[in-house]
């Protein structure tokens, strides 16, 4: 969610065109633990620069600090965070690695962990094809499978909210407890919102019928796919950035569609590769709910009504 603007009514990106992996696989970041400035040390060693010529701040994010390092060898994009530990970037790195290994859609970088990530800085091109984005995303979902079930190798973050990824063989249980349930507990503890907590748990206990006759395979998901995490290179090839990866139901990838701008051509191309399952329309809002709950936790009660409306709608539908 790097790049999200903490607005109660809008969801857009002010991130400039940057952060693109070249066609050759970049070297992994090496953290210089003993250095007073490990970022500078890495750039001047592994980055093969002899001098840093300019350092400028890059706008666009409310979770991390972003900086552009210009050198005599190359330009680098650096993300840092002083309030969240290295687990956030470690999770991002493993997610980028997993998406890269599918050899499908292009991803932004392949760093490893620490309290910072260093990436190549390249300007993006113009807007590309949503159909191509849909096709490539479906190919990633089709190629990225896990024999361990639903979850991920490590816990990571969705924005700055912890995302629990302990493996489970049951998607309904995983999504109910580790996605919706975890967010509801945070809302109860942070805001004292017992009303949404109780109604939300009633939904969790009754939502299994929404998945009848559906075969759910663990697909590799970007996990936070909104417009600020989608870009196109100068050849109009789609690029996805800043993941919150895990293996889950492919439909969960559309949970941020309320601020992703996916059009008909996107969905048509996607479902040609990953056919639409029975009941997709009935489950769509269930996956939006997770992100509305997370926005409520991150940015406050302006998102409460959207989340509660979805919960109330399902409780009426399910007669729960």
């Amino acid at each position: 969610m790097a790049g999200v603007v903490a607005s109660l009514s809008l969801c857009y990106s002010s991130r400039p065109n940057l952060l693109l992996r070249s066609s050759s696989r970049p070297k992994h970041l090496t953290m210089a633990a003993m250095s007073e400035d490990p970022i500078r040390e890495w750039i001047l060693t592994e980055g093969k620069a002899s001098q840093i010529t300019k350092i400028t701040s890059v706008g666009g994010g409310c979770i991390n600090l972003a900086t552009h390092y210009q050198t005599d060898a190359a330009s680098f994009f650096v993300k840092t965070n002083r309030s969240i530990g290295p687990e956030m970037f470690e999770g991002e790195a493993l997610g980028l690695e997993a998406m890269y290994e599918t050899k499908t859609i292009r991803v932004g970088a392949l760093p490893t962990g620490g309290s910072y990530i260093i990436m190549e800085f390249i300007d993006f091109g113009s807007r590309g094809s949503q159909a191509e984005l849909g096709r490539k995303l479906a190919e990633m979902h089709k190629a990225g499978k896990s024999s361990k079930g639903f979850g991920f190798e490590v816990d990571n973050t969705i924005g700055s909210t912890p995302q629990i990824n302990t493996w489970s063989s049951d998607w309904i249980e995983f999504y109910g407890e580790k996605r919706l349930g975890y967010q509801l507990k945070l809302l109860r503890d942070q805001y004292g919102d017992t009303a949404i907590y109780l109604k939300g748990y009633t939904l969790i206990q009754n939502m299994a019928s929404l998945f009848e006759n559906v075969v759910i395979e663990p697909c590799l998901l970007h996990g936070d796919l909104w417009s600020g995490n989608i870009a196109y290179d100068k050849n109009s090839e789609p690029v996805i950035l800043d993941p919150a990866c895990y293996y889950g139901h492919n439909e969960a990838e559309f949970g941020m569609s309320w601020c992703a701008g996916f059009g008909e051509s996107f969905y048509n191309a996607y479902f040609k590769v990953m056919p639409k399952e029975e009941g997709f329309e009935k489950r769509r809002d269930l996956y939006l709910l997770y992100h509305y709950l997370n926005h409520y936790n991150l940015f406050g009660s302006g998102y409460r009504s959207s989340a509660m409306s979805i919960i109330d709608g399902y409780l009426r539908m399910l007669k729960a």
Side-chain angles (χ1 to χ4, degrees):
M1 189 162 310
V4 150
V5 176
S7 164
L8 300 184
S9 59
L10 299 176
C11 191
Y12 64 93
S13 173
S14 57
R15 176 177 50 77
N17 293 334
L18 64 142
L19 189 60
L20 177 65
R21 182 179 59 77
S22 65
S23 57
S24 61
R25 186 169 180 146
K27 288 187 176 181
H28 285 206
L29 174 107
T30 301
M31 186 154 184
M34 302 303 292
S35 170
E36 292 183 2
D37 189 346
I39 295 171
R40 182 183 184 89
E41 180 170 322
W42 187 92
I43 288 173
L44 295 176
T45 54
E46 297 296 324
K48 302 188 182 305
S50 60
Q51 61 177 322
I52 296 171
T53 57
K54 190 176 183 181
I55 301 173
T56 54
S57 177
V58 178
C62 65
I63 303 297
N64 301 301
L65 298 176
T67 309
H68 178 199
Y69 282 72
Q70 293 174 263
T71 78
D72 58 346
S75 288
F76 298 93
F77 175 71
V78 180
K79 279 200 305 187
T80 59
N81 194 298
R82 297 182 180 180
S83 59
I84 302 175
E87 65 276 1
M88 178 176 67
F89 289 148
E90 289 169 351
E92 180 178 347
L94 287 171
L96 289 164
E97 183 80 29
M99 291 193 299
Y100 177 88
E101 291 298 333
T102 67
K103 295 178 171 54
T104 55
I105 196 166
R106 199 170 189 179
V107 298
L110 287 170
T112 56
S115 57
Y116 58 87
I117 287 181
I118 301 175
M119 305 172 224
E120 183 181 10
F121 186 107
I122 299 179
D123 290 332
F124 285 144
S126 58
R127 187 78 178 169
S129 164
Q130 280 214 352
E132 184 68 3
L133 172 64
R135 183 179 69 82
K136 287 284 191 179
L137 184 66
E139 288 174 352
M140 186 184 86
H141 290 167
K142 193 170 185 177
K145 302 295 184 182
S146 171
S147 61
K148 296 181 179 180
F150 304 99
F152 199 56
E153 299 296 338
V154 296
D155 293 341
N156 50 24
T157 57
I158 181 81
S160 58
T161 307
Q163 189 166 252
I164 309 304
N165 293 323
T166 310
W167 294 106
S168 173
S169 61
D170 187 315
W171 170 249
I172 298 172
E173 178 185 9
F174 177 89
Y175 190 68
E177 291 301 315
K178 297 182 177 69
R179 291 296 180 264
L180 298 181
Y182 186 78
Q183 292 284 348
L184 290 165
K185 288 175 183 176
L186 289 180
L187 288 171
R188 180 195 60 188
D189 296 344
Q190 181 174 202
Y191 294 107
D193 196 337
T194 55
I196 200 168
Y197 172 82
L198 293 172
K199 284 190 172 186
Y201 260 92
T202 301
L203 170 57
I204 291 170
Q205 292 163 357
N206 289 274
M207 68 183 187
S209 63
L210 297 170
F211 296 88
E212 289 179 356
N213 303 317
V214 179
V215 177
I216 304 174
E217 292 185 289
C219 297
L220 179 63
L221 307 181
H222 175 281
D224 191 16
L225 201 62
W226 69 289
S227 59
N229 290 340
I230 300 167
Y232 297 86
D233 68 16
K234 291 185 177 180
N235 295 318
S236 298
E237 181 181 351
V239 186
I240 54 177
L241 315 167
D242 296 340
C245 284
Y246 65 100
Y247 292 92
H249 188 196
N250 67 300
E251 294 174 6
E253 193 77 284
F254 308 133
M256 281 291 286
S257 61
W258 49 281
C259 55
F262 297 143
E264 184 178 359
S265 63
F266 169 87
Y267 287 109
N268 287 342
Y270 180 89
F271 288 127
K272 282 184 180 179
V273 179
M274 293 284 288
K276 186 188 297 186
E277 291 272 8
E278 179 181 340
F280 167 76
E281 285 77 13
K282 289 184 179 180
R283 290 184 296 274
R284 185 193 294 258
D285 284 357
L286 192 67
Y287 292 129
L288 302 185
L289 178 59
Y290 174 60
H291 294 277
Y292 277 121
L293 292 173
N294 186 48
H295 275 60
Y296 182 4
N297 271 308
L298 287 173
F299 306 126
S301 60
Y303 291 95
R304 185 183 190 274
S305 62
S306 295
M308 188 64 93
S309 177
I310 290 174
I311 292 171
D312 285 339
Y314 275 115
L315 294 181
R316 288 192 297 272
M317 178 195 300
L318 299 170
K319 297 179 171 58

